[in-house]
Amino acid sequence: MTIRVLLVDDQPLLRTGFRFILEAEPDVTVVGEAGDGATAMDQSRALLPDVVLMDVRMPGTDGIEATRRIVREAAPTAHVPKVLVLTTFDLDEYIVEALRAGASGFLLKDVPPDDLIQAIRVVAAGDAIVAPSVTRRLLDRFAARLPSAHQQATPARLDRLTERELEVLRLIAKGMSNAEIAATLVVSETTVKTHVGNVLTKLGLRDRVQAVVLAYETGLIIPGAFS
């Protein structure tokens, strides 16, 4: 299967660089480009990409609003593009909002080519990209902007989980991969995948990124409580 990618960035040179990298892969094709969020939404409707590589800061409609609209408008249909948000981290202070808007993950703009390609393949397959160290730093940094547990009705949702599933959710929120969770709990990766699937289904979450955000929102993970 060929992965159809839409490139969204207000810098033509960056789009050219990404296109050069991606089109060297036999299973990836760039179907379009956009220099702002409004054009990205139009291109997404017309081209039906599998993955949208989305910049955050752009003139007019920014990447967060574009992500929200692309995911929301496509949700009733059978084809919902996966959005990978691009950030410079030190400059962009909107990643949490982007994840909550429906992004399947995020990458730094200086991501190595191999990591970029792998990330696109992962989200195209229906998984999410959670860069553990960066995710923790971002959520810790912007925790004050997330609702506290007593402000949300969501903690009650955690009652749906078994003790083991709750433990798995904590480990997901700490940025652990399935292999790392399996090693920690001394179980097989297959068992972990089952637990992860149960957690997402019971909590009505789309992917691991939403699980991380929920863990912070409910107070299951306290910002700065782990290194």
Side-chain angles (χ1 to χ4, degrees):
M1 183 188 74
T2 300
I3 302 171
R4 298 163 54 83
V5 178
L6 172 63
L7 300 177
V8 185
D9 196 293
D10 62 343
Q11 299 183 48
L13 186 59
L14 276 178
R15 296 201 306 269
T16 299
F18 285 135
R19 177 184 283 272
F20 179 79
I21 291 170
L22 298 180
E23 292 197 332
E25 299 300 313
D27 60 337
V28 179
T29 183
V30 177
V31 296
E33 298 183 17
D36 59 75
T39 304
M41 291 184 287
D42 291 339
Q43 293 279 61
S44 181
R45 296 186 197 101
L47 301 174
L48 301 178
D50 300 306
V51 176
V52 179
L53 203 58
M54 179 77 74
D55 188 17
V56 172
R57 294 193 168 193
M58 295 179 292
T61 303
D62 64 21
I64 296 171
E65 183 59 26
T67 295
R68 182 178 294 110
R69 294 187 190 179
I70 286 173
V71 173
R72 183 176 61 205
E73 291 179 9
T77 71
H79 185 87
V80 181
K82 306 296 183 181
V83 180
L84 268 177
V85 172
L86 292 168
T87 178
T88 51
F89 179 64
D90 288 334
L91 296 178
D92 297 331
E93 300 186 351
Y94 309 107
I95 283 299
V96 172
E97 287 88 343
L99 298 178
R100 297 174 72 179
S104 292
F106 60 89
L107 299 171
L108 301 181
K109 280 194 173 181
D110 60 356
V111 60
D114 288 346
D115 290 350
L116 171 64
I117 295 163
Q118 180 60 21
I120 288 173
R121 288 172 177 151
V122 167
V123 297
D127 208 335
I129 290 297
V130 182
S133 61
V134 180
T135 300
R136 293 199 295 263
R137 288 168 63 190
L138 285 168
L139 288 174
D140 285 351
R141 180 176 176 181
F142 304 123
R145 300 169 65 178
L146 290 171
S148 62
H150 70 272
Q151 293 174 312
Q152 294 284 318
T154 46
R157 295 164 63 185
L158 300 183
D159 292 340
R160 306 172 188 175
L161 304 182
T162 65
E163 285 298 320
R164 178 46 62 95
E165 290 166 353
L166 198 60
E167 190 173 12
V168 168
L169 176 56
R170 287 193 184 95
L171 298 178
I172 290 173
K174 291 183 178 181
M176 289 190 179
S177 66
N178 284 351
E180 291 169 331
I181 294 174
T184 298
L185 301 181
V186 194
V187 296
S188 69
E189 282 193 56
T190 300
T191 298
V192 171
K193 289 179 181 178
T194 299
H195 288 317
V196 172
N198 289 341
V199 168
L200 299 182
T201 299
K202 289 183 178 181
L203 298 180
L205 303 175
R206 185 184 64 251
D207 52 42
R208 296 168 78 103
V209 174
Q210 288 192 336
V212 172
V213 174
L214 178 65
Y216 273 75
E217 288 180 329
T218 59
L220 185 65
I221 292 294
I222 305 301
F226 58 90
S227 58

